[in-house]
Amino acid sequence: QSVLTQPPSASGTPGQRVTISCSGSSSNIGSNTVNWYQQLPGTAPKLLIYSNNQRPSGVPDRFSGSKSGTSASLAISGLQSEDEADYYCAAWDDSLNGLVFGTGTKVTVL
Amino acid sequence: QVTLRESGPALVKPTQTLTLTCTFSGFSLSTSGMCVSWIRQPPGKALEWLARIDWDDDKYYSTSLKTRLTISKDTSKNQVVLTMTNMDPVDTATYYCARIPNVYDSSGYDYWGQGTLVTVSS
């Protein structure tokens, strides 16, 4: 079950900035770091952002993450066609003593 | 080079027990901070975290599936095994294994297997 809430979809034209929200609670986002994953069609998820706002080596700086209170956000600036994918947030939940994923957001490049 | 590969049956019958193996290379699960998890994704649906095993043999399970799951490791074989009992058609999903290189620095799942589709049907 997903306890982190994301909008089902987001879209933009090439070059635009798109922001995806991830809403949680005090037991997950409020007390632990957030990671973001990108899943291209038919492939395994890929780590996009870790520890709220850190990019792994090789991830373009067009992708950025932030966290405030019990919510987090992923921003994609300079949207490109290859960014069309599903995006998931994730955080450890202290009450469940396990990881929780977001509901996922499908990004479409118009 | 880090790789993970899932293996197991593609088809199981309802009520049967599923056993999946994650065989990995390029790292050791005896390294402090290292963890391997199982994560699944039903067709067209979101990711769902199932279980995690740590370098020190600590284990964590999804609360909703805890009674049905067992995760274990064989460090000498570089394998992590997940068993799920009493399979149901709703358990039809692609099952992934993934690693956390250092749980202490919130590094996230940096490498994933390609996933294996398991269908539950009679």
Side-chain angles (χ1 to χ4, degrees), chain A residues 38-100:
Chain A
Q38 177 194 57
Q39 188 176 31
L40 298 171
T43 69
K46 168 191 170 184
L47 181 64
L48 203 61
I49 296 287
Y50 68 95
S51 194
N52 301 328
N53 54 20
Q54 302 299 302
R55 283 186 308 276
S57 175
V59 173
D61 60 5
R62 305 185 289 104
F63 295 93
S64 62
S66 63
K67 186 184 103 167
S68 178
T70 59
S71 294
S73 292
L74 173 72
I76 310 173
S77 59
L79 193 65
Q80 299 183 5
S81 57
E82 57 260 39
D83 299 334
E84 198 160 274
D86 294 324
Y87 293 83
Y88 295 91
C89 57
W92 189 260
D93 191 295
D94 292 336
S95 295
L96 298 175
N97 205 27
L99 190 83
V100 289

Side-chain angles (χ1 to χ4, degrees), chain A residues 1 33 35 37 39 44 47 88 96, chain B residues 41 63-64 106-109 113:
Chain A
Q1 74 283 15
T33 59
N35 299 324
Y37 298 90
Q39 188 176 31
L47 181 64
Y88 295 91
L96 298 175
Chain B
Q41 185 173 38
T63 302
S64 60
S106 305
S107 50
Y109 294 101

Side-chain angles (χ1 to χ4, degrees), chain B residues 17 55 113:
Chain B
T17 294
W55 77 102

Side-chain angles (χ1 to χ4, degrees), chain B residues 66-84:
Chain B
K66 182 170 186 167
T67 59
R68 300 173 53 206
L69 296 174
T70 302
I71 192 169
S72 62
K73 64 181 173 73
D74 186 330
T75 305
S76 64
K77 292 184 178 179
N78 283 349
Q79 291 182 333
V80 171
V81 175
L82 180 77
T83 62
M84 180 179 291

Side-chain angles (χ1 to χ4, degrees), chain B residues 48-61:
Chain B
E48 180 182 15
W49 182 86
L50 299 178
R52 189 184 98 190
I53 190 164
D54 296 354
W55 77 102
D56 58 1
D57 212 37
D58 277 351
K59 299 164 187 172
Y60 303 87
Y61 294 99

Side-chain angles (χ1 to χ4, degrees), chain B:
Chain B
Q1 179 189 2
V2 173
T3 64
L4 301 97
R5 186 183 76 251
E6 306 88 352
S7 59
L11 179 66
V12 297
K13 290 180 168 45
T15 76
Q16 286 187 334
T17 294
L18 171 69
T19 299
L20 294 172
T21 301
C22 175
T23 303
F24 56 86
S25 63
F27 67 95
S28 173
L29 197 41
S30 60
T31 300
S32 179
M34 194 73 69
C35 312
V36 172
S37 282
W38 285 94
I39 295 151
R40 72 178 180 180
Q41 185 173 38
K45 296 189 176 181
L47 299 169
E48 180 182 15
W49 182 86
L50 299 178
R52 189 184 98 190
I53 190 164
D54 296 354
W55 77 102
D56 58 1
D57 212 37
D58 277 351
K59 299 164 187 172
Y60 303 87
Y61 294 99
S62 163
T63 302
S64 60
L65 294 167
K66 182 170 186 167
T67 59
R68 300 173 53 206
L69 296 174
T70 302
I71 192 169
S72 62
K73 64 181 173 73
D74 186 330
T75 305
S76 64
K77 292 184 178 179
N78 283 349
Q79 291 182 333
V80 171
V81 175
L82 180 77
T83 62
M84 180 179 291
T85 62
N86 195 25
M87 293 293 285
D88 183 273
V90 299
D91 297 313
T92 294
T94 295
Y95 288 75
Y96 297 99
C97 61
R99 79 153 195 180
I100 296 175
N102 189 345
V103 71
Y104 295 120
D105 68 3
S106 305
S107 50
Y109 294 101
D110 66 342
Y111 283 90
W112 295 62
Q114 64 186 17
T116 186
L117 175 62
V118 177
T119 301
V120 184
S121 175
S122 56

